[in-house]
Amino acid sequence: MSINPALFPDLIDTVALVIQQNAEEVTALDQAIGDGDHVFNLQRGIQALQEHRKEIAELDWPSAWQKIGTIVMAAIGGASGSLYATLFIHLHKHSQASNCDLNHFADAFVQAIEAVKQRGKADVGEKTMLDVWVPVAAALRQDVSAGKSVDAILDHLCQVAADGVEATRDMPATKGRASFLGERSVGHIDAGAKTAQLIIQAVAKVLAAQHSSV
Ligand code: ADP
Ligand code: MG
């Protein structure tokens, strides 16, 4: 299966829609243990990406990631802005123009998530978006290596992401604003983990549709 920048407009619009459809729920999560601006932060970035959709679609694979990273860095405030910008800039650094197949993407993705961990000085178990992104990256790498079908991989990643979100509920937050609450953050799902899951769901939906149409 080929994933390439021509898919980005569809990916960006689908992410925008899914975030919009879940905006109230996610805002309530961020209000409970954060400052309530997470959806607004993401939507500013998504809107900026939508404004540049044509330009992004015409770039080669590494340049598209670089452009996305630069736009996100400028448009999204808060902790999530610099973390997502780091993710995309490192996808750029670890991508090669001629290699945007799933195997190379899996490698680049694992390395980009490592960079996000370093940027936020955080890891799994701290009640953040990493509780979704880290296991999803590991599952992608394993599933691609195991030669699973694209449909099976996408289903699995969605399941891993859902489990990651649910796991944040019982964790005390040790990073980000929610860490100010310490043990009082227990019992709440992390908003950034939830939006990471929503992004993965949206991407899986677009890739599954593209895959079944070829
Ligand atoms: P802010 O916390 O600055 O208001 P957002 O509300 O946009 O920024 O994003 C909050 C989300 O960012 C949290 O729900 C959490 O998932 C994630 N996050 C916060 N700090 C970190 C960190 N150090 N590493 C990874 N993710 C983090
Ligand atoms: Mg916030």
Side-chain angles (χ1 to χ4, degrees), residues 30 34-38 41 177:
D30 195 33
D35 57 356
D37 64 349
H38 181 56
N41 286 337
R177 285 177 198 280

